[in-house]
Amino acid sequence: MLDVHVTEILVRLARAGARSTLQALHKAMTIDSRRVQALETLIAAHFREHRPVGFYAGKIGVSVAQLNRIARQEAGASVSHLLARRLVDAARRDLVFTPTPVQAIAYSLGFQDPAYFNRFFRRQTGTTPGTYRETERRRLAA
């Protein structure tokens, strides 16, 4: 009879431990999800300023390494990659839907040198801003 009670107590303890571990894991995932949402909001507000990753980590209240780990886990990319992606998305939109010269778009996105913007855009997309603009406008016109 004592064996039955000891077994029952051990089973209940194991279940309680597993439940608390799952709850802690769920809570951590929720916190990480909120941190990534906060990161995306900060990126949207500051991407034109070309802030370092440390700026975003400080605003969120974590270390740079921890923020990069969370970003890779939740968003599938590092913080610097998320920043570059946001810059390229804004550049693509401006190139296709505005008549603004490439040089002015570069300055509006916070680049000090339009030539560097051209290199950055080419590295990210595989094509120059001018070529991208022509190609996309032709595609949209067809």
Side-chain angles (χ1 to χ4, degrees):
M1 178 101 158
L2 186 59
D3 284 342
V4 171
H5 287 297
V6 170
T7 304
E8 183 178 340
I9 290 171
L10 290 174
V11 168
R12 286 183 186 211
L13 285 173
R15 286 181 183 161
R19 190 176 309 118
S20 66
T21 302
L22 287 174
Q23 289 171 345
L25 181 61
H26 178 69
K27 183 178 177 182
M29 287 176 28
T30 303
I31 290 171
D32 288 348
S33 297
R34 282 185 281 169
R35 286 179 175 155
V36 168
Q37 288 175 347
L39 174 63
E40 290 171 353
T41 302
L42 286 169
I43 287 173
H46 299 283
F47 74 96
R48 294 175 193 271
E49 299 166 12
H50 296 261
R51 300 280 188 149
V53 176
F55 168 81
Y56 298 100
K59 291 282 189 182
I60 294 173
V62 296
S63 70
V64 171
Q66 187 177 5
L67 184 60
N68 270 314
R69 180 191 57 76
I70 292 167
R72 282 189 184 99
Q73 179 181 332
E74 296 288 322
S78 68
V79 177
S80 59
H81 187 79
L82 294 173
L83 289 164
R85 186 185 306 164
R86 182 68 170 97
L87 279 167
V88 169
D89 288 346
R92 284 179 170 157
R93 183 187 61 246
D94 290 347
L95 287 166
V96 174
F97 298 111
T98 68
T100 309
V102 173
Q103 182 178 11
I105 291 172
Y107 289 131
S108 76
L109 292 174
F111 288 89
Q112 301 293 321
D113 181 11
Y116 179 71
F117 169 71
N118 283 336
R119 289 191 302 274
F120 170 81
F121 191 87
R122 179 185 280 173
R123 190 172 45 246
Q124 297 296 319
T125 65
T127 185
T128 64
T131 304
Y132 178 81
R133 173 180 267 170
E134 291 172 19
T135 304
E136 288 300 306
R137 284 187 175 172
R138 271 194 238 119
R139 188 179 65 80
L140 288 172

